[in-house]
């Protein structure tokens, strides 16, 4: 039988274990390793390979490069074998340069990702250990608790108060109760209460389950294979795509025009074709993918030193472009250590009874780790030996209540705690200070007034209720009725020291903070003021619910705090902020944050987060500290700035040189540069540009969010390309009219001027300041000096004849040096005028 078609939920656990070749104590380590080698890693789709051969071949996947190599091969058999081999060698050297850089970047990324790799607990050799989720195999016995992601399709062997969120597969809003049993084979997916499915996660309780199917064989894998959904395009990826379209248009126009003109002038077709292709390669910044990878890898390593681990490299650029950061309150803006201030009756007096009921509820709950329950349990301990838990209705984000059914001295008792309004709505009576009970209607106004007073003081206030019953039928939500309101739990969580300064630093960087919390609006407003949000503007969950999506987009930028927000509304807020023109980051670490993390341009979580949040995040913080984010934003902007530097350098210098060469080919009786010389020019100017990832960045470049601006890039390319072309034509005139050079001397002189000017202009273009007032990176300076020196020396080496060069008289060299010097000065003035016009 095909294991993909197993109706394993209809097979008794003992039989299924036998069919899987496993036991209730799990697999041995050697057996698990053998199965992993046979079945492959537990992934929905194969990981993109980053081995050396794949990376090397990727350097030559450009259509232009492939056509050029084909043309060189054709030239080898029909025309000039030496030139063809030189062209192939230069292309190969360029590819090896990109491969060497990208290889280091890929290995660095793999090392960083290993730090925050998703893990799960399994039984191996009879002992419970943690292994990466990718190493889980069929037959493994996994141990699950609240907040854990299910690593494969499983059959439950045993469970306790287990509730699972299956919304990703079934759309079911409420957590589903799960238990060990055998079901009919025809049971539909949404009713298989004995199975756990990959892509879902436990909300409460615990379980031991055997993995039946992994990876693409799971239900989640089948859905993903059918849909083949790509992740949404990021802001950065959109910019790269549009930039590619711009270059493609310019390149096609130039290449077709140059090839047609040279053929019209009756020059050899093959030479004209290779010349046109070489120009296209020279114009195209073919190292852009490698430069992006290298820049992102360097950025990821620098961020790792600041305790920020990047899980998806493209998110670094979005991090730098981010102008809105949405964050929860607890643990991010506050210390996250919730403390119980008091347990009070409805009159505001200390109540031992309220504290006792709250302790019972917190002691017996088995849901995800909750700082509130931990605060109750540690505030004071009680003897619960006379109590026995019967069942549990776990907390969910719609009911906002947690209910425990227990037997106290063999008398059934139901205890509920949760959000004040949600607890009050299931109560029909209230305890009085004298020990009696009254109808809730008689005390509602006073109870609500007391709650408002606590909230205005910044306290988070929960309600506690109970009901004594004759018997408990089971864990069903309908037990939460006709309850007696016992009183309040008053909790507080102080703001983190220095958080106001951190928020001010983010604001100076152009990042506005928006708090999204489920807390009451009075508590949220007090917390906002405490962390430095002066006169915060609020929008509450009920108001949000009544708004249309269009109305929300219109007002969302003006709101500082979103209070009383249900988890399923967080994603809607993120989408509205993006539609309002923002690049949005979202920071969350809870079970209910996964959809918002996916929706954000930058999903941010912490290493201590639940699995489902950590897996959804683009960036994981090793410390839950917004100050770390400040450093991360600056690093993201540094990376983005260095990527744009390469774009500016490559497009402006390349466009100018290639445009000049195209024009010169129209009036010169010979090709201004041979194809191999064009490619060598391109290769040598790549060396300084490859070091741009380590370049220093001026402080003003990281002070605000920056995004791709294709119009700005096009104008930059045209402006500096025109300046470059003017001096190229001056070089032509000097070489032809003043120095009266031969063909070989002309090509040598122009090669020297092109490479030296393109290398030195990097130092001008890399900054908006005057170039002598901005300190370049050490590697950039070294690469520039070495390339300039090598260019001057090349005509005097044995390679000169092979490459078509010849030594130049000293007077010609000095003349060219003068042209380059004037070009640098002119480019500096052009830069000043360009940025002044751009700001106007």
């Amino acid at each position: 039988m095909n294991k993909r078609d197993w109706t394993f939920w209809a097979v008794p656990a003992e039989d299924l274990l036998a069919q899987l070749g496993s036991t209730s104590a799990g697999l041995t380590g050697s057996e698990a390793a053998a199965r992993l080698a046979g079945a492959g890693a537990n992934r929905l789709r194969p990981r993109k390979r980053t081995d050396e051969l794949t990376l090397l071949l990727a350097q030559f996947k450009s259509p232009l490069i492939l056509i050029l190599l084909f043309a060189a091969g054709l030239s080898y058999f029909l025309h000039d074998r030496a030139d063809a081999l030189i062209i192939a060698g230069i292309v190969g050297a360029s590819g090896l340069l990109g491969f060497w850089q990208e290889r280091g970047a890929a290995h660095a990324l793999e090392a960083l990702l290993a730090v925050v790799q998703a893990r799960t607990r399994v039984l191996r050799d009879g002992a419970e250990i943690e292994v990466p989720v990718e190493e889980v195999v069929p037959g493994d016995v996994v141990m699950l608790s609240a907040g854990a992601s299910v690593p494969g399709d499983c059959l439950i062997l045993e469970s306790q108060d287990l509730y699972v969120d299956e919304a990703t597969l079934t759309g079911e809003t409420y957590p589903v109760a799960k238990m060990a049993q055998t079901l009919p084979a025809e049971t539909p997916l949404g009713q298989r209460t004995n199975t756990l499915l990959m892509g879902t996660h436990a909300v409460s309780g615990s379980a031991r389950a055997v993995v039946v199917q992994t990876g693409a064989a799971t239900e989640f894998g089948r859905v993903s294979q059918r849909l083949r959904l790509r992740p949404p395009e990021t802001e950065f990826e959109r910019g790269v795509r549009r930039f590619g379209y711009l270059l493609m248009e310019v390149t096609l126009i130039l290449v077709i025009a140059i090839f047609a003109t040279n053929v019209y002038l009756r020059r050899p077709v093959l030479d004209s074709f290779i010349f046109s292709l070489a120009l296209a390669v020279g114009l195209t910044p073919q190292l852009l993918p490698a430069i992006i990878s290298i820049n992102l890898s360097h950025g990821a390593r620098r961020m790792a030193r600041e305790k920020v681990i990047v899980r998806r490299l493209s998110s670094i650029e979005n991090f730098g472009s981010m102008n809105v950061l949405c964050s929860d309150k607890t643990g991010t803006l506050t210390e996250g250590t919730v403390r119980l201030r008091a347990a009070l009756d409805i009159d505001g007096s200390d109540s031992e009874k309220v504290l006792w009921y709250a302790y019972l509820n917190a002691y017996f709950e088995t849901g995800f780790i909750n700082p509130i329950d931990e605060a109750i349990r540690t505030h004071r301990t009680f003897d619960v030996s006379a109590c026995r838990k019967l069942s549990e209705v776990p907390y969910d984000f719609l009911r906002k209540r947690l209910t425990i059914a227990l037997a106290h001295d063999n008398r059934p008792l139901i205890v509920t705690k949760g959000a004040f309004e949600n607890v009050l709505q299931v109560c029909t009576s209230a305890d009085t200070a004298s020990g009696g009970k009254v109808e809730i209607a008689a005390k509602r106004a006073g109870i609500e007034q007391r709650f408002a007073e606590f909230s205005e003081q910044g306290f988070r206030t929960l309600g506690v209720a109970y009901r004594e019953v004759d018997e408990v039928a089971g864990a069903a939500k309908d037990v939460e009725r006709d309850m007696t309101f016992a009183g309040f739990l008053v909790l507080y969580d102080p703001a983190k020291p220095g958080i106001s300064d951190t928020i001010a630093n983010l604001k100076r960087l152009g990042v506005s903070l928006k708090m999204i919390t489920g807390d009451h609006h009075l508590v949220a407003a007090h917390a906002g003021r405490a962390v430095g949000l002066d006169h915060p503007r609020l929008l509450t969950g009920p108001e949000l619910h009544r708004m249309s999506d269009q109305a929300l987009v219109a007002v969302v930028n003006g709101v500082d705090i979103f209070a009383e927000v249900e988890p399923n509304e967080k994603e809607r807020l993120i989408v509205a902020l993006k539609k309002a023109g923002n690049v949005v980051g979202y920071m969350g670490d809870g079970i209910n944050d996964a959809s918002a993390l996916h929706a954000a341009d930058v999903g941010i979580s912490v290493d201590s987060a639940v699995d489902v949040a950590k897996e959804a995040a683009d960036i994981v913080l090793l410390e839950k500290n917004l100050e770390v984010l400040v450093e991360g934003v600056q690093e993201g902007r540094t990376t983005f700035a260095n990527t744009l530097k390469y774009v500016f350098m490559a497009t402006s210098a390349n466009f100018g040189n290639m445009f000049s060469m195209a024009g010169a080919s129209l009036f010169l009786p010979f090709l201004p540069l041979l194809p191999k010389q064009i490619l060598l020019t391109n290769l040598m100017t790549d060396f300084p540009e490859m070091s741009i990832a380590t370049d220093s960045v001026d402080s003003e470049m990281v002070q605000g969010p920056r995004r791709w601006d294709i119009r700005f890039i096009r104008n930059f390319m045209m402006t500096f390309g025109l300046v470059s072309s003017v001096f190229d034509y001056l070089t032509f005139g000097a070489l032809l009219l003043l120095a009266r050079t031969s063909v070989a001397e002309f090509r040598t002189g122009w090669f020297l001027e092109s490479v030296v000017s393109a290398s030195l202009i990097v130092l001008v273009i890399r900054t908006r300041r005057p170039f002598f007032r901005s300190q370049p990176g050490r590697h950039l300076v070294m690469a520039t000096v070495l390339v300039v020196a090598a260019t001057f020396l090349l005509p005097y080496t044995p390679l000169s004849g092979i490459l078509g060069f010849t030594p130049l008289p000293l007077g010609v060299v000095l003349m060219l040096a003068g042209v380059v010097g004037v070009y640098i000065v002119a480019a500096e003035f052009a830069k000043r005028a360009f940025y002044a016009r751009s700001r106007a």
Side-chain angles (χ1 to χ4, degrees):
M1 179 185 293
N2 186 344
K3 291 187 177 181
R4 288 178 63 96
D5 300 323
W6 267 14
T7 54
F8 63 87
W9 53 91
V11 180
E14 296 80 4
D15 296 343
L16 184 64
L17 286 168
Q19 292 177 34
L20 289 168
S22 183
T23 69
S24 59
L27 301 171
T28 64
S30 57
E31 176 62 23
R35 295 188 183 195
L36 183 64
N42 181 23
R43 305 187 191 104
L44 295 181
R45 52 181 61 89
R47 175 183 285 170
K48 187 177 179 181
R49 296 180 65 191
T50 56
D51 60 88
E52 277 74 3
L53 180 60
T54 304
L55 280 178
L56 180 61
L57 294 177
Q59 309 305 315
F60 304 98
K61 66 182 180 181
S62 165
L64 284 174
I65 295 293
L66 294 176
I67 294 172
L68 182 61
L69 289 173
F70 172 77
L74 190 62
S75 177
Y76 178 86
F77 288 104
L78 300 179
H79 184 46
D80 188 337
R81 296 188 174 187
D83 277 8
L85 290 173
I86 291 170
I87 289 172
I90 293 172
V91 171
S94 178
L96 288 172
L97 179 64
F99 162 71
W100 175 69
Q101 292 277 7
E102 278 203 89
R103 177 176 172 272
H107 289 174
L109 176 61
E110 289 176 1
L112 291 177
L113 288 179
V115 177
V116 290
Q117 192 173 34
R119 306 179 74 84
T120 192
R121 291 180 296 139
V122 301
L123 293 178
R124 295 270 173 90
D125 297 309
E128 187 175 319
I129 63 170
E130 273 197 351
V131 299
V133 168
E134 294 183 350
E135 295 180 11
V136 171
V137 295
D140 260 328
V141 173
V142 296
M143 310 297 291
L144 300 172
S145 57
S149 293
V150 179
D153 287 356
C154 309
L155 181 76
I156 298 173
L157 301 178
E158 60 182 47
S159 66
Q160 181 176 359
D161 301 319
L162 181 66
Y163 280 77
V164 175
D165 183 345
E166 293 187 328
T168 51
L169 279 173
T170 66
E172 172 62 43
T173 304
Y174 291 99
V176 179
K178 296 285 188 174
M179 62 201 74
Q181 58 182 316
T182 303
L183 297 173
E186 62 273 13
T187 305
L189 180 68
Q191 298 176 22
R192 295 173 195 164
T193 54
N194 65 342
T195 63
L196 303 173
L197 302 174
M198 188 176 191
T200 66
H201 61 272
V203 173
S204 67
S206 59
R208 186 163 58 92
V210 61
V211 177
V212 181
Q213 292 168 155
T214 59
T218 62
E219 290 290 342
F220 195 69
R222 296 186 202 192
V223 171
S224 67
Q225 289 293 322
R226 284 198 300 269
L227 297 180
R228 289 283 182 182
L229 293 178
R230 287 191 61 188
E233 188 178 44
T234 67
E235 173 73 18
F236 176 71
E237 291 165 340
R238 192 178 305 116
V240 172
R241 175 173 53 80
R242 292 170 62 202
F243 174 62
Y245 290 156
L246 170 65
L247 286 179
M248 186 170 61
E249 292 169 6
V250 175
T251 303
L252 282 174
I253 292 171
L254 271 179
V255 168
I256 292 171
I258 293 168
F259 178 67
T261 302
N262 277 275
V263 171
Y264 176 77
L265 294 174
R266 301 181 184 279
R267 291 170 182 166
V269 174
L270 184 58
D271 284 353
S272 299
F273 181 57
I274 296 178
F275 177 74
S276 301
L277 284 176
L279 281 179
V281 172
L283 177 60
T284 305
Q286 70 269 25
L287 286 180
L288 181 60
I291 291 292
I292 289 175
S293 296
I294 295 159
N295 271 335
L296 295 180
S297 175
H298 274 277
R301 279 184 278 184
R302 287 195 300 264
M303 291 169 73
R305 289 197 291 268
E306 303 297 334
K307 300 185 177 179
V308 179
I309 303 299
V310 179
R311 296 187 71 242
R312 296 180 181 91
L313 278 183
S314 62
S315 65
I316 294 180
E317 306 283 9
N318 288 337
F319 210 16
S321 304
M322 179 178 69
N323 68 305
V324 171
L325 174 63
C326 298
S327 173
D328 60 357
K329 177 176 69 69
T330 302
T332 305
L333 306 179
T334 63
E335 288 186 359
T337 306
V338 179
R339 300 176 178 87
L340 179 62
R341 179 182 175 87
L344 308 174
D345 61 22
I346 63 173
D347 295 325
S349 302
D350 288 330
S351 171
E352 186 83 0
K353 183 178 182 180
V354 172
L355 185 58
W356 162 245
Y357 283 144
Y359 185 83
L360 288 176
N361 183 281
Y363 182 86
F364 285 108
E365 71 91 16
T366 57
F368 53 89
I369 298 173
N370 188 320
I372 292 175
D373 290 320
E374 186 63 24
I376 295 168
R377 289 192 290 261
T378 57
H379 180 76
R380 181 180 162 189
T381 59
F382 290 86
D383 181 8
V384 295
S385 58
C387 301
R388 177 171 51 89
K389 179 179 175 181
L390 302 176
S391 63
E392 175 179 355
V393 184
Y395 182 92
D396 67 55
F397 299 100
L398 294 178
R399 289 168 37 256
K400 296 183 179 179
R401 296 185 295 263
L402 168 65
T403 296
I404 300 292
L406 52 91
H408 178 230
D409 291 333
N410 294 322
R411 289 183 300 166
L413 175 69
I414 296 170
V415 181
T416 296
K417 79 171 188 312
F420 169 76
E421 293 91 343
N422 299 64
V423 171
L424 194 63
Q425 74 182 22
V426 297
C427 294
T428 55
S429 61
D431 278 339
T432 64
S434 60
K437 292 182 182 179
V438 295
E439 291 292 319
I440 196 70
K443 292 289 185 178
R444 181 180 291 273
I447 292 172
E448 291 176 343
Q449 176 61 33
R450 190 83 59 191
F451 171 76
E453 292 171 359
F454 296 143
S455 298
E456 286 173 348
Q457 297 171 48
F459 295 117
R460 183 172 185 181
T461 307
L462 306 183
V464 178
Y466 69 97
R467 179 160 68 98
E468 295 171 341
V469 294
D470 295 328
E471 62 178 356
V472 176
K477 296 180 181 66
D478 58 9
V479 302
E480 298 174 337
R481 57 182 174 80
D482 301 327
M483 306 198 77
T484 299
F485 189 82
F488 308 95
L489 290 177
V490 181
L491 304 119
Y492 68 104
D493 183 11
K496 278 188 175 178
I499 190 65
S500 298
D501 294 336
T502 300
I503 292 173
N505 289 337
L506 284 170
K507 191 172 183 179
R508 278 194 292 272
L509 289 170
V511 180
S512 60
L513 179 73
K514 296 187 184 294
M515 182 194 301
I516 302 178
T517 178
D519 284 353
H520 191 272
H521 66 277
L522 294 175
V523 177
H526 183 278
R529 290 189 293 270
V531 300
L533 296 176
D534 297 326
H535 310 293
R537 292 154 293 182
L538 272 78
L539 184 70
T540 65
E543 293 169 334
L544 175 65
H545 190 68
R546 292 192 294 269
M547 278 186 176
S548 67
D549 289 341
Q550 293 81 0
L552 180 58
V553 171
V555 304
V556 71
N557 281 339
V559 179
D560 300 305
I561 298 175
F562 300 91
E564 303 171 25
V565 174
E566 295 179 357
N568 55 356
E569 294 283 10
K570 292 181 180 180
E571 181 180 3
R572 185 181 173 215
L573 285 173
I574 302 299
V575 171
L577 283 164
K578 290 171 68 174
K579 287 182 177 178
N582 302 291
V583 178
V584 184
Y586 178 78
M587 186 170 179
D589 61 356
I591 291 174
N592 61 320
D593 289 318
S595 60
L597 287 165
H598 274 298
D601 292 300
V602 187
I604 306 164
S605 194
V606 293
D607 195 34
S608 58
V610 298
D611 291 345
V612 69
K614 202 158 54 173
E615 289 165 10
D618 303 303
I619 289 173
V620 177
L621 309 183
L622 299 184
E623 289 182 0
K624 193 171 186 179
N625 184 353
L626 281 186
E627 189 59 42
V628 173
L629 281 185
V630 173
E631 301 293 335
V633 168
Q634 291 174 321
E635 284 295 347
R637 291 180 184 172
T638 297
T639 304
F640 187 67
N642 280 338
T643 302
L644 284 184
K645 284 180 192 178
Y646 173 77
V647 170
F648 291 157
M649 294 169 192
T651 54
S652 57
N654 290 3
F655 178 75
N657 284 340
M658 299 310 121
F659 186 75
S660 302
M661 206 173 303
S665 68
L666 301 181
F667 64 82
L668 290 176
F670 54 87
L671 291 177
L673 281 182
L674 298 173
K676 60 187 175 185
Q677 294 169 342
I678 296 174
L679 294 173
L680 182 60
T681 300
N682 196 44
L683 175 64
M684 295 192 72
T685 55
D686 278 337
F687 277 97
E689 293 165 356
M690 288 292 284
S691 63
I692 202 67
T694 61
D695 190 27
S696 57
V697 174
D698 299 335
S699 58
E700 60 268 22
M701 301 292 285
V702 299
Q703 286 178 349
R706 302 186 67 199
R707 301 166 77 166
W708 281 91
D709 186 339
I710 299 302
R711 178 180 296 179
F712 183 88
I713 293 172
R714 184 181 65 238
N715 293 342
F716 193 98
M717 180 173 73
M718 299 299 290
T719 299
F720 285 88
L722 179 62
V723 172
S724 176
S725 285
V726 167
F727 281 89
D728 284 338
Y729 285 111
L730 284 176
T731 302
F732 297 161
L735 291 171
L736 291 173
L737 302 177
L738 296 180
R740 298 187 179 277
T741 55
S742 65
V743 172
E745 287 176 332
F746 177 90
R747 288 170 174 164
T748 304
W750 193 29
F751 168 79
L752 189 151
E753 188 271 343
S754 294
V755 175
V756 172
S757 63
S759 299
L760 292 178
I761 203 68
V762 168
L763 303 178
V764 176
I765 292 175
R766 60 169 292 278
T767 176
R768 294 191 178 195
R769 302 175 184 176
F771 72 89
F772 50 84
R773 292 183 180 171
S774 177
Q775 180 68 42
R778 182 167 56 91
H779 292 96
L780 177 59
V781 173
M782 290 173 57
T784 301
V785 170
L786 288 173
V787 167
V788 170
T791 304
F792 274 109
L793 293 174
L794 187 59
Y796 304 95
T797 67
L799 292 174
S800 62
I802 298 173
L803 295 169
F805 296 133
T806 188
L808 293 174
L810 179 61
V812 174
V813 173
L814 293 175
M815 179 184 68
L816 292 175
V819 172
V820 171
V822 177
Y823 172 46
I824 298 299
V825 174
E828 184 61 50
F829 280 104
K831 179 179 70 175
R832 185 179 305 177
F834 176 81
Y835 284 119
R837 187 173 68 249
S838 299
R839 286 193 293 266

